[in-house]
Amino acid sequence: MTDDRMSVREIAKLAGVSTATVSRVYRGVGSVSAATRAKVQAAIEQYGYRPSHLGEALANRRHGALAVVFPGLSGPYFAELINGVESVAVPRQVSVHVIGTHLRREAPDELLDVARRVDGMAIHGGTVPKTVIMELAARHPVVMIGPDPHPAPVVVRTDQQAFRLLVSHLLADHGLRKLVFVGNPEGSPDLTERWEAFAAAHAELGLRPGKQLRTGLEQTHGVQAADEVLAGGFDGAVCGNDETALGLMMAVLGRGLRVPGDLVITGVDDVPMSSLVSPGLTTVARPLAELGATATRLLLDLINGADVVPETVLPSRLVRRASCGCRD
Amino acid sequence: MTDDRMSVREIAKLAGVSTATVSRVYRGVGSVSAATRAKVQAAIEQYGYRPSHLGEALANRRHGALAVVFPGLSGPYFAELINGVESVAVPRQVSVHVIGTHLRREAPDELLDVARRVDGMAIHGGTVPKTVIMELAARHPVVMIGPDPHPAPVVVRTDQQAFRLLVSHLLADHGLRKLVFVGNPEGSPDLTERWEAFAAAHAELGLRPGKQLRTGLEQTHGVQAADEVLAGGFDGAVCGNDETALGLMMAVLGRGLRVPGDLVITGVDDVPMSSLVSPGLTTVARPLAELGATATRLLLDLINGADVVPETVLPSRLVRRASCGCRD
DNA sequence: TTGAAAGCGGTACCAT
DNA sequence: ATGGTACCGCTTTCAA
């Protein structure tokens, strides 16, 4: 239980070689005679020797770790993003610290501390104040995931075209005229962009923007928004993401009402649930895993001192299912 | 961007003192004259000096970090557990690595590697094979979260009494006679215990165990189980956790059926959604945050070489809401 | 109060 | 093919 691991020097002594040789054998580099290699291997296996990560990292001047900073970590959205991150980090042997700032009392200070333990960080838009990002970015490799109003060195994001298309679709094709935007743009760059696209789509048809109902981005928030949405006499609820949309849908169905009959509901992200529920959720598919993977790839490049394009925009795509009235 | 941080020696030189003094000032220990302290503080602030975590950890022979290993990371269950973990780790300045083994190709080997970067690990039951746990526990402080059939040094769990009570409640009070257990005991010690309690509650009333429908533990799995549950002609679905239950409920409502009218549904965990949906989900409340917090506290004790009780059992509680038919 | 120096556990350069 | 050795960045005796 107590961690009484062996050090290189001990293994070296036991195998009757130098620490340099042990290192060479363990990492499989340099040239070592078969005989010596065998001796060392034996010692390593006998004592279950694994080099201390600290010594290794200190000598390499590299932590072999990076941090991903999210506002929260609950839900399929972040899970998928993390999936993408790990898909490139794991094969490259770098470990990932997942940080959910909503848990931290003093997130900013906390992050400066996290920065001491990693080679770089990928930060989700809307998680930390401008000043912190700048302070961080000044000293460490930083990549932003999603839009952020702040001057960030490198950012990876998805476009908003499909979302605008979605709103136009509801307005033009389904003839809806009383849409409510469910989500709070404040503090979320993602939602700010969506709200703007929502308004733009209305303006394009000479319509007034529709109302905005400020809620959080989790399923529970969608459930809690139901009463207000229903009371507002809207014909469609354009939710900021799928989780809110699914929560809202659940609440609406639970009241014995029908979707899209009594209320059209749409989301954004196309999480797994969205294609499974009935009615299927009309939404905007975003390549979340790819978003995480790309951010990680760029971050790693940045860490390695490579030149990195400042902005990468990934495509999103409108997915029409039953909840908007397209089929049932 | 490139990480050109200063080292103690540089700060020491700039302040005209020794590295020892810089260290003393930064950490606020030992005695330093006010004048010297001021000089050093100035240098530290001017260059934004923060000691390298690696040097610090290497000298202290302590990573100041621990790992929490879960099967996955998605959903409110893990989010709440993590919340609990952080609630004790953060104040004590230890950072937390959250590992989701479902993402890792070769989880076992991966974990041995993670172990090199932390002082100890909290492992959720049912995530890694026996051999790995034993290998890990032999060398490092390990605490298991939730039941696990393997000989683990320290385990924190919740009891199954409320769950058994729940099943009895459905059987005895609501007179249900065709219950299906939704969840897969295989590979999940938690579900194994619940299945046993499910069977025991039936036996107690001289009834046959009811059927078992093997599914995963996520909301999507609940949705996907709907057809089979509905086709089976059951009067109640006892789900392995709330997420499955909520998914199932959503699918059932989406088909225009009623809960509990057409089907009684229950869960386990009492996640936030469960009290918000209509009908409210009857479930077993488990102190998830407390579970995570306790596991972390014990792990930290273990790391500090303290004696630790081998098993801690936290209470669970039956929460009757509308989905079982108790009110509507 | 302060500094010199010996580690902590590795890696890698430079000789041999 | 090996070994000696000088770091990596920080903490901490031990003296002064």
Side-chain angles (χ1 to χ4, degrees), chain B residues 117-142:
Chain B
R117 308 167 164 267
V118 297
D119 299 315
M121 29 209 331
I123 306 179
H124 194 281
T127 51
V128 258
K130 170 178 190 162
T131 53
V132 180
I133 293 190
M134 290 177 59
E135 193 171 342
L136 245 23
R139 287 184 158 61
H140 311 275
V142 168

Side-chain angles (χ1 to χ4, degrees), chain B residues 18 20-21 24 31-33 36 58-59 61:
Chain B
S18 73
T21 298
R24 283 192 273 257
S31 39
V32 184
S33 75
T36 309
L58 190 54
R61 281 108 151 286

Side-chain angles (χ1 to χ4, degrees), chain A residues 253-254 256 258, chain B residues 230 249 251-259 261-263:
Chain A
L253 295 176
R258 313 296 307 171
Chain B
L230 258 15
M249 184 185 289
V252 169
L253 294 176
R255 280 168 177 69
L257 299 175
R258 312 296 306 173
V259 175
D262 296 303
L263 181 73

Side-chain angles (χ1 to χ4, degrees), chain B residues 94-294:
Chain B
V94 321
S95 74
V96 179
H97 291 232
V98 181
I99 313 288
T101 54
H102 77 302
L103 306 165
R104 317 299 186 117
R105 5 24 68 93
E106 185 116 13
D109 213 59
E110 187 76 14
L111 283 196
L112 269 325
D113 207 81
V114 169
R116 300 193 315 140
R117 308 167 164 267
V118 297
D119 299 315
M121 29 209 331
I123 306 179
H124 194 281
T127 51
V128 258
K130 170 178 190 162
T131 53
V132 180
I133 293 190
M134 290 177 59
E135 193 171 342
L136 245 23
R139 287 184 158 61
H140 311 275
V142 168
V143 170
M144 298 296 297
I145 298 180
D148 198 278
H150 312 318
V154 179
V155 33
V156 186
R157 42 173 301 161
T158 59
D159 64 43
Q160 297 291 355
Q161 300 183 17
F163 182 74
R164 173 142 175 195
L165 221 59
L166 164 64
V167 181
S168 299
H169 171 63
L170 300 180
L171 259 18
D173 302 342
H174 291 294
L176 302 183
R177 279 300 171 270
K178 194 130 192 276
L179 297 180
V180 57
F181 180 90
V182 182
N184 187 358
E186 196 164 315
S188 166
D190 267 315
L191 284 214
T192 301
E193 287 196 351
R194 280 173 212 156
W195 166 251
E196 284 164 3
F198 179 79
H202 278 76
E204 194 173 40
L205 296 177
L207 300 171
R208 293 226 323 284
K211 211 196 146 185
Q212 183 183 104
L213 200 162
R214 305 197 159 191
T215 74
L217 288 167
E218 296 180 11
Q219 226 178 64
T220 50
H221 299 122
V223 175
Q224 291 170 306
D227 281 332
E228 204 166 335
V229 170
L230 258 15
F234 300 104
D235 49 14
V238 176
C239 300
N241 68 356
D242 282 4
E243 299 180 56
T244 321
L246 291 167
L248 176 59
M249 184 185 289
M250 185 153 187
V252 169
L253 294 176
R255 280 168 177 69
L257 299 175
R258 312 296 306 173
V259 175
D262 296 303
L263 181 73
V264 159
I265 298 179
T266 67
V268 171
D269 283 343
D270 197 24
V271 301
M273 274 288 282
S274 305
S275 60
L276 295 173
V277 294
S278 46
L281 184 66
T282 288
T283 187
V284 170
R286 301 170 65 210
L288 299 179
E290 185 53 28
L291 196 59
T294 304

Side-chain angles (χ1 to χ4, degrees), chain A residues 15 20 87-88 145 291 304:
Chain A
S87 75
V88 1
I145 297 179
L291 195 60
N304 290 324

